[in-house]
Amino acid sequence: HHKKKFLQGGSVARAILESKKFKVRALIRDETRPNVQMLRELGAEWVKGDLNDKASVEAVLKGAYGSFMVTNFWDDFSKEKEVFQGKLVADTAKSLGLKHVVYSGLENVWRLTGGKLEVPHFDGKGEVEEYFWSIGVPMTSVRIAAYFENFLGPWKPVKASDGDYYTLALPMGDVPMYGISVADVGVAVCSIFNSPEEFIGKAVGLSAEALTIQQYADILSKSMGKEITPEAYEKLGVPAVKEVANMCRFYQMKPDRDIELTRRLNPKVKSFSQFVSENQAALKVN
């Protein structure tokens, strides 16, 4: 999951640098990461530090026009830490007078469902969104659909114990699930920075398409040359099972993800089929 945070930041930094409208300064925890080399080659500056540290946050935001930020729940599985990071950036952005923050947010499911569903890695981001807006920071939240990249990692089809087929376990029933490649987020965020008057104060749901789990399975089957069947989920011993099950319950309520707007922000956004055909090597199974 660390990797994903970095993928989002890297995708945004690359798109902004390639658009040549802004210079980029990145906050980097570990400068040995391959992506840091990529940022350096594209001409980004960077500051070493992290989002829990006020001095780091001030150093990276000082003199900036705007900022893209991703908080990280998965570091410590801690909603409190994530909210702390978000509020620290919000307070710093406010005191330094940033003109536009784009925050990688999500809905506060706990509040939206009146406490019936708890999805900590959504809820904390929702609290941070609310805080940014409540203190008057000019902020756009991008609520990013499920990453296609998850199908190469945590959601990769698993070989069934009782036969030569694979299972894909996501408890969505027949409700389509929105998805997008994290690599396509950068260009969309860059477009948002270029239209502040349209997007400040709003939440934008980014998604390339919505497919049922059966459709995801069919596309993966074709690519992998294996039979893949959707599988009951809760009986798997996956860490964070409850978290993902609750997330899918929330997804079944059809949160607002806007495919048409996403295509306007990034006309080259990839469908799941395109994504899979470009990532065949990563999907190889025995």
Side-chain angles (χ1 to χ4, degrees):
H1 285 284
H2 294 306
K3 200 167 83 215
K4 293 218 196 67
K5 171 178 171 182
F6 210 76
L7 284 171
Q8 256 191 66
S11 166
V12 170
R14 162 176 274 157
I16 290 174
L17 287 160
E18 286 174 351
S19 80
K20 307 232 187 318
K21 281 201 180 159
F22 294 102
K23 291 203 294 228
V24 169
R25 189 189 303 142
L27 182 62
I28 303 287
R29 271 194 311 193
D30 170 8
E31 66 267 44
T32 61
R33 286 263 170 86
N35 250 19
V36 176
Q37 198 45 48
M38 180 261 307
L39 291 178
R40 211 183 267 144
E41 282 161 16
L42 287 170
E45 299 170 29
W46 52 278
V47 170
K48 188 169 162 52
D50 72 66
L51 285 177
N52 300 308
D53 170 50
K54 192 169 193 290
S56 297
V57 172
E58 281 181 348
V60 79
L61 293 182
K62 217 179 182 60
Y65 161 80
S67 166
F68 171 74
M69 105 175 249
V70 186
T71 48
N72 200 351
F73 172 81
W74 303 103
D75 269 358
D76 304 287
F77 282 85
S78 164
K79 188 183 97 167
E80 289 65 38
K81 272 211 169 141
E82 180 161 46
V83 171
F84 172 82
Q85 291 179 351
K87 288 183 169 178
L88 176 58
V89 171
D91 290 337
T92 310
K94 174 90 176 163
S95 70
L96 292 173
L98 264 68
K99 300 281 189 291
H100 194 180
V101 174
V102 178
Y103 172 56
S104 180
L106 284 165
E107 289 85 352
N108 184 342
V109 176
W110 172 256
R111 196 172 57 78
L112 288 176
T113 61
K116 286 194 184 68
L117 277 184
E118 195 174 3
V119 188
H121 80 278
F122 275 59
D123 299 345
K125 292 180 184 68
E127 275 180 46
V128 172
E129 287 183 357
E130 290 151 19
Y131 185 76
F132 264 107
W133 287 320
S134 73
I135 66 168
V137 174
M139 188 276 277
T140 305
S141 177
V142 288
R143 295 170 175 169
I144 300 169
Y147 297 152
F148 290 159
E149 282 75 4
N150 284 337
F151 288 98
L152 309 178
W155 302 345
K156 197 169 176 175
V158 178
K159 193 163 174 31
S161 48
D162 59 351
D164 189 26
Y165 66 99
Y166 286 71
T167 58
L168 184 59
L170 283 167
M172 286 295 297
D174 301 324
V175 181
M177 182 178 78
Y178 288 103
I180 192 168
S181 166
V182 73
D184 289 331
V185 167
V187 171
V189 168
C190 194
S191 298
I192 288 169
F193 275 125
N194 289 332
S195 302
E197 61 300 324
E198 186 182 350
F199 294 109
I200 282 174
K202 295 206 170 75
V204 176
L206 295 180
S207 172
E209 65 180 336
L211 300 173
T212 63
I213 300 306
Q214 186 61 60
Q215 289 170 315
Y216 282 112
D218 292 344
I219 291 167
L220 288 165
S221 293
K222 242 196 227 110
S223 163
M224 292 164 63
K226 305 279 183 192
E227 184 196 337
I228 297 170
T229 16
E231 168 74 282
Y233 180 76
E234 269 94 341
K235 62 179 198 217
L236 294 172
V238 183
V241 157
K242 189 164 175 253
E243 173 101 359
V244 175
N246 280 350
M247 175 184 80
C248 286
R249 282 188 193 104
F250 176 63
Y251 279 160
Q252 290 187 30
M253 297 172 187
K254 302 229 177 63
D256 188 14
R257 305 287 178 261
D258 191 332
I259 295 169
E260 267 174 61
L261 175 59
T262 304
R263 289 196 178 133
R264 176 159 73 85
L265 294 169
N266 180 357
K268 294 198 174 103
V269 69
K270 286 187 284 292
S271 69
F272 188 59
S273 297
Q274 286 169 295
F275 171 80
V276 165
S277 66
E278 285 173 24
N279 286 280
Q280 283 214 277
L283 280 161
K284 285 277 176 286
V285 289
N286 313 328

